[in-house]
Amino acid sequence: MKVKQLCINSYKPPVQSSNWTQSLFLNLYRCNSQYISRHLHRLKVHNVVKGGQSFIFGEEKVGLAVGVKGSCFNAGGEVARKARSFGFGTVVLSQNELNIKETSQVISGLIQANYKYKQLGDVAQEQQQSDENNDQYSYISDLHVQENVFEDSYFQQLVQLAQIKLYARDLANTRQEGTPQFFVNEVKTLFKDNPNVEIKILEGKQLQESQLNLFYAVGQGSIYEPTLINLTYRGNKDSQQLHALVGKGITFDTGGLHLKSYGNMETMHLDKSGACNVLAAFKGAVDMKLKVNVTVTLGMAENAISNTSYKPSNILKSHKGLTVEINNTDAEGRLVLADCLSWTQSTYNPKSILEISTLTGACAAALGENTGGLFSNNDDLSQEILEIGKELQEPFWRMPVTDEHKDMMKGQFADLCNIGKSKVCGASKAAAFLFNFIDEKTPFAHLDIAGPMDSKADKGIHPPGATGFGTQVLLKYLVNKQE
């Protein structure tokens, strides 16, 4: 089920409760505020529920008092869960002790948690429609906030960032339907009539003809042709400079002939999350009409098994001209990205490049499920990404790429090998491999989101499934690059 986009409206205080029947009136306070006890006394509430990093103070079907402590985003997530547990489709922000920034973060968290991806059968769909007809909602459909909050630019921006993140989740959560051709159709539907967007598509043998042999090899075993999708938006006609985003889009990763084992393949429809996040961020930039020029490259391929699959021991020549020995067919993402990065640079000579991918389990092992890995050749770019991630609760941690890591990726029978000579430091080795395909003078950041790509529980701002982690960081980065 894909939740319809939340409709947000403004109103002028005071609240007229008669305008909103069957609504949940939300009251935000700082934790331990004297107003909370008064509010609870007025509502005759006795139970206290603790959730996440916020505290939820019980409710009747007329109001919810929230004392915010810690993450405002997570507090908003708890509000969304509380509202739907009682079947409210409308939430009205009533009393509010928080400042605009804190309030905006609460609403952003509410939007991000107000989501569920589930493909319902006919009977379940009929029941859901019946529930909504009887004012019993599974998810919030309408939100009303005070006029001064609604008109604030920071609030508007956080709402836009959160909503585009939901689109990234919709894309990443697709299963067997999420083929390379699906994404070709998606971008044509979105942008074919937009004069400010240029679309380039390279499919199948066209990749070989363009010397993207690493990319082609990964997808050659699938019935679905590997496809490079490139989109360019020119929102600043006075500048020729472009910023580039590149995303890994392995639509399903079996591991190839180095087949993944049971327990390690079931979520591999999410191995396209990087490309989904990039496409969503690009859509956000176009929708927001940002005054920035950006080009994005999506490397879409299925790493499948057949009699045409690429094989261990293959030596392939990359778009950049470097040869690569294949030691493991399950280290495929870096091959696709290597050619995409090289092609993007040679085609556009961008001012900066951000690449995002679910690249290594090693990064997840090092940083866990809530933090992404950041690898960069530029300190200023790294600092900017770290600050954006911290602000939007999509945190990254900078990881090293040293000469030792680069040496590990040198090949015995080719310039490079795709897995490295040692089983240690897998995340840094993968990043070191990619650095070979980047002009060292170009500011570059590799974002490894293998850990936070999905959520296994309904907690904080993330329901189960694809998280869209990193989408907001990419879009906020482009917002900052406006001239």
Side-chain angles (χ1 to χ4, degrees), residues 210-215 228 246 297 317-322 334-350 353 355 434-439 444:
S210 300
Q211 307 306 312
L212 287 89
N213 299 307
L214 303 183
F215 187 167
L228 181 148
V246 176
T297 303
K317 191 174 183 179
S318 69
H319 179 270
K320 190 173 182 178
L322 295 170
R334 65 199 66 181
L335 301 177
V336 171
L337 290 171
D339 273 351
C340 285
L341 289 168
S342 176
W343 182 88
T344 300
Q345 274 195 120
S346 66
T347 306
Y348 294 104
N349 189 28
I353 304 177
E355 173 271 311
L434 295 179
F435 274 39
N436 285 286
F437 301 89
I438 292 293
D439 184 338
F444 168 67

Side-chain angles (χ1 to χ4, degrees), residues 139-170:
Y139 287 83
I140 303 168
S141 58
D142 293 281
L143 173 67
H144 299 270
V145 300
Q146 295 97 331
E147 191 174 59
N148 68 310
V149 174
F150 183 85
E151 294 178 350
D152 183 81
S153 60
Y154 184 78
F155 173 81
Q156 290 288 343
Q157 185 179 108
L158 280 199
V159 167
Q160 290 172 313
L161 292 175
Q163 289 178 334
I164 207 66
K165 184 174 181 177
L166 302 190
Y167 175 64
R169 290 179 186 172
D170 281 346

Side-chain angles (χ1 to χ4, degrees), residues 251-399:
T251 57
F252 194 85
D253 183 17
T254 67
L257 294 179
H258 280 108
L259 186 67
K260 291 181 183 292
S261 61
Y262 172 77
N264 293 312
M265 198 191 300
E266 287 74 12
T267 60
M268 283 300 101
H269 62 284
L270 297 176
D271 211 20
K272 60 183 182 293
S273 293
C276 296
N277 295 354
V278 166
L279 176 54
F282 182 84
K283 181 179 183 297
V286 175
D287 290 347
M288 294 167 70
K289 299 181 179 179
L290 298 185
K291 293 182 178 180
V292 65
N293 299 329
V294 58
T295 187
V296 302
T297 303
L298 315 178
M300 312 305 302
E302 182 183 58
N303 188 18
I305 298 176
S306 74
N307 62 340
T308 61
S309 297
Y310 79 123
K311 300 173 178 64
S313 79
N314 283 171
I315 295 179
L316 306 170
K317 191 174 183 179
S318 69
H319 179 270
K320 190 173 182 178
L322 295 170
T323 56
V324 179
E325 182 180 358
I326 306 303
N327 291 335
N328 191 324
T329 61
D330 196 21
E332 84 298 328
R334 65 199 66 181
L335 301 177
V336 171
L337 290 171
D339 273 351
C340 285
L341 289 168
S342 176
W343 182 88
T344 300
Q345 274 195 120
S346 66
T347 306
Y348 294 104
N349 189 28
K351 186 176 181 179
S352 68
I353 304 177
L354 269 61
E355 173 271 311
I356 187 167
S357 52
T358 51
L359 201 61
T360 65
C363 196
L367 299 177
E369 298 179 347
N370 298 306
T371 304
L374 164 63
F375 306 78
S376 180
N377 63 1
N378 186 280
D379 292 339
D380 292 337
L381 176 59
S382 295
Q383 189 59 36
E384 182 175 4
I385 293 171
L386 292 173
E387 290 175 359
I388 294 173
K390 182 178 181 180
E391 176 191 353
L392 298 174
Q393 199 166 305
E394 291 183 350
F396 286 88
W397 189 267
R398 192 171 184 183
M399 302 280 279

